[in-house]
Amino acid sequence: MSTTVEPTVRTADEVNEEIRALWLRSGGTLSGEQREEYQRLVLEWAAAAPQ
């Protein structure tokens, strides 16, 4: 019996909202950890964006 969970695919708009929220929380300056999160989000956004 497989217990593999399929990853949830979010829309580009959903990821963009999270990117905007990250920038708002950071006050415009990202820490090292926030920069890593931003990079991950941008890659996710690019994968979800319509071609």
Side-chain angles (χ1 to χ4, degrees):
M1 178 165 123
S2 176
T3 58
T4 304
V5 176
E6 293 296 320
T8 303
V9 177
R10 299 188 293 173
T11 67
D13 287 340
E14 291 170 326
V15 179
N16 192 38
E17 283 182 34
E18 190 170 341
I19 291 170
R20 289 174 186 262
L22 173 63
W23 278 106
L24 285 174
R25 285 193 314 271
S26 74
T29 304
L30 299 176
S31 68
E33 185 178 309
Q34 288 170 322
R35 229 173 286 139
E36 289 176 14
E37 181 181 359
Y38 175 74
Q39 290 173 345
R40 179 188 59 77
L41 288 169
V42 168
L43 291 175
E44 183 181 352
W45 175 85
Q51 297 302 320

